[in-house]
Amino acid sequence: MLAGRPGPAFVAFPDGAPGGRRAQPATMNTLLLTSVSEIQAYTRDVRANGRSLALVPTMGALHEGHLSLVRRAKQQCDTVMVSIFVNPAQFGPGEDFDRYPRNLEKDTQLLRSLNVDSIFAPSPKEIFPPGFETHVVPGKLAEPFEGASRAGHFQGVATVVLKLFNLAQPDLAYFGQKDFQQVQIIRRLVEDLSLAVRLVICPIVREPEGLALSSRNTHLCPEARHAALVLHRCLLRGETLVHAGEVDAKTLLKEMRKVVETEPLAKLDYLAIVNPEHLAPVERVTAGNIALVAVRVGTVRLIDNLIFGPPGASPELLLQLAFTSQPVLDLGARIPGLETEALRRRIESCRDCAAIPSVLIPPRAFLAKYLKRDYPDLNRLRVVVIGRDAPINSDHYFYQHPEKPASFVTELYKLLGVGSFQEFKEAFAVTDALRCHVLSDHVPEKALAYCARHLREELKNFPNLQSIVVLGQDAYLQFQRYVLGRRPGEIKPFEELLKPQGWALEEVRLPHLKAGPLRIIYCYHPLTGYKHSPSLASLFQSLSH
Ligand code: AMP
């Protein structure tokens, strides 16, 4: 689903008193919001200022796992809100609601140190006022595992998450892989109820010995903490066996269970290997399948999981595999026994670079057709804009229908300070030759080298080229690495580079071009990200293009 603004709420929930209290500053820069009316006023304000909003829902007692979500949100959105709410509706009778760790003061300090913009920390009464009786009932995904062990848990989760989404109306919401079943239920919630929020899922953060961070770990005495390491050991046993070629789920589960049995303090609740989408147990393990485990250590119940994939795969790639977005694998990285055939075929079907399977317009089409049509005098062109990837649908190609600019085009015009295609082509051309946007280590080097070579050739068309505008982080990384030939350690993080003014400039000389030094302007992608660069119009004026 694409980001945008949510439509009207589809479920009527009781509202806070209109015109209620004003938000209190939690710190110099971090607002503490506690009421429905405060958060509504706040999010209205954020939207009115055209800023993107990230929501990180938590139950507090924050640890590095939570903070990893916050850091990711800070990178991707203008404004970050963290909600802290120990949700009574997701605890069953006899569960640990009363003794769940709470420490708002310490949490506030931590979030302040990360420059979070606001904290939403309502009381249970604020969220569930007297008379509250509307609930979200998730479907089959909520039945097994956590749902079976904790009756009503996911109804409580889904209800509060929907309420938080309605209150904050975030562009992006951040959740951890740690609660994998929860993620899939929220994903369904978003899709089924057409919520205009995009979910970002972040990998599990662990202690050095492997224990997944959890607020409940504070209840573990040293002995229990040691026993709790058995969860990760059990998952790693499965992974080792899969990498050695064992794909029979029964055999794997038997071996993994044996590991749990070695720990007398641990009592297994469930252990399963499932298809990530439907959470149905599998017979043969394929890439992207996931092992889920829950164990009781004394009075503390802990969960953990592991996504199976090729050896050495990054946590992000594993998440991609599980969420079936287009994963890209080097053929050499296939694991014996794992069924990556479909993937391999997709890669083979890519004509140009073996990295992106959906390229419909080779860059040559741009050169051959549109340069001739739109640029009678190539000497006049001063700036080339490098886009990120080829459009999947050729109708959206930049030059295809200049009379009907797509949203990317409108936003690009705004960024460059031109009003029409006519004005645009006086000085600018756009190319998506450097289109490989896959950051995985598994993308074949030759694919990226191909893109860079193609771009260099393309630039030769413009004898008086003065500047190149590079849109977005992915294009920035490719440009630095494959056009400028910089090594990963020499490339400044994109965010850091752009921080002072929302764009950055450097002068380089490209040996193969006759033109003098080129100014490279890096900025946010005008459409695909959630941060925006200011208009570059005055920059171009000062550079006297
Ligand atoms: P909680 O406060 O337990 O409700 O967690 C809030 C969010 O943080 C959820 O989306 C969790 O999945 C995520 N989270 C919890 N523990 C971790 C961890 N160890 N690593 C990454 N994310 C986590």
Side-chain angles (χ1 to χ4, degrees):
M1 197 173 61
L2 289 174
R5 293 296 167 196
F10 51 87
V11 181
F13 286 109
D15 204 338
R21 288 159 287 155
R22 282 179 65 81
Q24 296 298 309
T27 66
M28 286 275 281
N29 308 310
T30 309
L31 275 185
L32 178 62
L33 314 165
T34 55
S35 72
V36 163
S37 52
E38 279 169 3
I39 185 177
Q40 284 175 331
Y42 177 81
T43 52
R44 257 199 307 275
D45 219 46
V46 171
R47 276 200 304 283
N49 287 311
R51 292 166 64 79
S52 54
L53 177 67
L55 174 68
V56 184
T58 79
M59 296 207 297
L62 301 181
H63 49 66
E64 269 303 313
H66 298 114
L67 300 188
S68 71
L69 272 53
V70 174
R71 287 194 191 95
R72 181 76 69 90
K74 287 288 293 179
Q75 282 169 8
Q76 296 177 325
C77 285
D78 298 320
T79 315
V80 175
M81 175 189 287
V82 175
S83 64
I84 297 180
F85 181 60
V86 184
N87 172 24
Q90 69 187 68
F91 289 80
E95 288 191 11
D96 57 350
F97 175 70
D98 289 331
R99 66 184 196 114
Y100 195 86
R102 293 164 172 87
N103 195 339
L104 185 59
E105 202 172 310
K106 186 166 163 237
D107 289 348
T108 306
Q109 272 172 17
L110 276 173
L111 296 175
R112 181 194 184 189
S113 71
L114 293 184
N115 280 326
V116 160
D117 300 274
S118 60
I119 299 169
F120 179 50
S123 67
K125 253 200 185 146
E126 190 69 24
I127 296 297
F128 301 114
F132 184 99
E133 62 172 14
T134 308
H135 301 273
V136 178
V137 184
K140 283 205 170 4
L141 275 174
E143 286 172 8
F145 311 120
E146 289 306 285
S149 299
R150 306 183 65 189
H153 170 67
F154 285 123
Q155 173 171 316
V157 170
T159 304
V160 90
V161 167
L162 175 60
K163 182 144 181 171
L164 288 172
F165 285 172
N166 279 334
L167 289 170
Q169 307 207 356
D171 297 284
L172 296 181
Y174 293 75
F175 293 89
Q177 175 199 329
K178 163 86 182 349
D179 298 274
F180 192 83
Q181 188 177 10
Q182 169 176 287
V183 166
Q184 290 296 35
I185 288 166
I186 294 170
R187 193 180 175 202
R188 273 257 65 86
L189 169 82
V190 167
E191 280 183 29
D192 291 349
L193 301 185
S194 306
L195 307 183
V197 57
R198 275 175 89 165
L199 305 179
V200 179
I201 314 305
C202 302
I204 302 177
V205 178
R206 301 177 179 281
E207 288 186 353
E209 307 86 24
L211 179 62
L213 297 188
S214 160
S215 306
R216 287 190 171 95
N217 291 354
T218 53
H219 293 317
L220 295 169
C221 65
E223 212 185 355
R225 180 176 285 267
H226 186 261
L229 298 179
V230 80
L231 280 95
H232 192 227
R233 265 209 316 277
C234 144
L235 294 170
L236 286 183
R237 174 75 179 138
E239 185 178 59
T240 307
L241 290 170
V242 168
H243 287 169
E246 179 59 71
V247 292
D248 177 56
K250 245 192 212 153
T251 312
L252 289 165
L253 289 170
K254 197 164 133 204
E255 291 301 315
M256 292 165 80
R257 235 177 262 124
K258 276 188 198 160
V259 176
V260 182
E261 283 159 9
T262 61
E263 182 46 72
L265 290 183
K267 191 168 167 296
L268 187 64
D269 185 345
Y270 60 76
L271 172 66
I273 300 176
V274 299
N275 156 309
E277 202 183 340
H278 308 292
L279 305 182
V282 297
E283 283 178 17
R284 279 169 58 78
V285 176
T286 63
N289 285 164
I290 179 165
L292 304 173
V293 63
V295 165
R296 243 173 233 288
V297 182
T299 54
V300 185
R301 193 170 168 283
L302 299 168
I303 58 171
D304 202 345
N305 64 67
L306 181 140
I307 301 168
F308 294 111
S314 66
E316 281 75 18
L317 177 64
L318 292 173
L319 277 167
Q320 273 190 15
L321 286 167
F323 289 104
T324 61
S325 60
Q326 298 175 343
V328 173
L329 290 182
D330 182 351
L331 298 190
R334 273 189 299 156
I335 2 171
L338 282 199
E339 292 155 5
T340 49
E341 270 309 297
L343 200 58
R344 193 173 62 75
R345 277 202 299 276
R346 277 227 302 269
I347 291 171
E348 275 176 357
S349 72
C350 171
R351 281 169 293 179
D352 283 339
C353 72
I356 304 233
S358 56
V359 179
L360 294 187
I361 303 180
R364 282 175 212 97
F366 165 70
L367 284 180
K369 200 164 153 192
Y370 301 102
L371 272 193
K372 230 188 215 161
R373 186 191 75 185
D374 295 320
Y375 297 89
D377 181 5
L378 288 169
N379 288 308
R380 285 170 64 177
L381 194 129
R382 298 284 186 272
V383 188
V384 161
V385 179
I386 299 178
R388 196 176 85 141
D389 47 31
I392 288 176
N393 178 343
S394 59
D395 265 0
H396 296 148
Y397 188 49
F398 186 92
Y399 290 93
Q400 195 91 326
H401 298 290
E403 74 291 353
K404 275 196 296 180
S407 44
F408 164 69
V409 181
T410 327
E411 293 302 317
L412 182 65
Y413 287 175
K414 264 193 238 160
L415 178 73
L416 303 177
V418 298
S420 64
F421 184 61
Q422 196 57 36
E423 258 179 65
F424 173 85
K425 63 186 189 175
E426 288 299 309
F428 301 97
V430 75
T431 167
D432 54 11
L434 194 69
R435 67 182 179 279
C436 186
H437 64 286
V438 182
L439 300 176
S440 159
D441 292 341
H442 298 280
V443 175
E445 290 280 311
K446 70 174 192 305
L448 298 166
Y450 173 90
C451 285
R453 203 172 63 226
H454 203 100
L455 176 70
R456 280 193 221 105
E457 285 306 308
E458 204 167 76
L459 295 179
K460 284 185 189 163
N461 282 293
F462 314 111
N464 295 320
L465 190 65
Q466 293 178 348
S467 301
I468 298 179
V469 179
V470 179
L471 301 177
Q473 170 165 302
D474 300 344
Y476 162 72
L477 292 174
Q478 316 292 335
F479 190 86
Q480 289 274 314
R481 181 119 192 244
Y482 295 96
V483 180
L484 302 185
R486 293 185 179 147
R487 285 196 295 273
E490 299 168 340
I491 303 173
K492 205 169 180 182
F494 186 64
E495 279 294 322
E496 211 177 288
L497 183 77
L498 262 58
K499 207 169 200 173
Q501 51 200 352
W503 53 266
L505 177 79
E506 74 168 325
E507 233 174 55
V508 299
R509 204 173 261 282
L510 294 183
H512 71 288
L513 289 184
K514 287 204 195 86
L518 282 178
R519 297 174 191 118
I520 316 295
I521 300 156
Y522 303 103
C523 57
Y524 290 111
H525 191 283
L527 195 65
T528 59
Y530 288 86
K531 286 192 175 179
H532 297 284
S533 295
S535 166
L536 301 175
S538 51
L539 173 67
F540 289 130
Q541 259 159 26
S542 69
L543 298 176
S544 68
H545 283 128

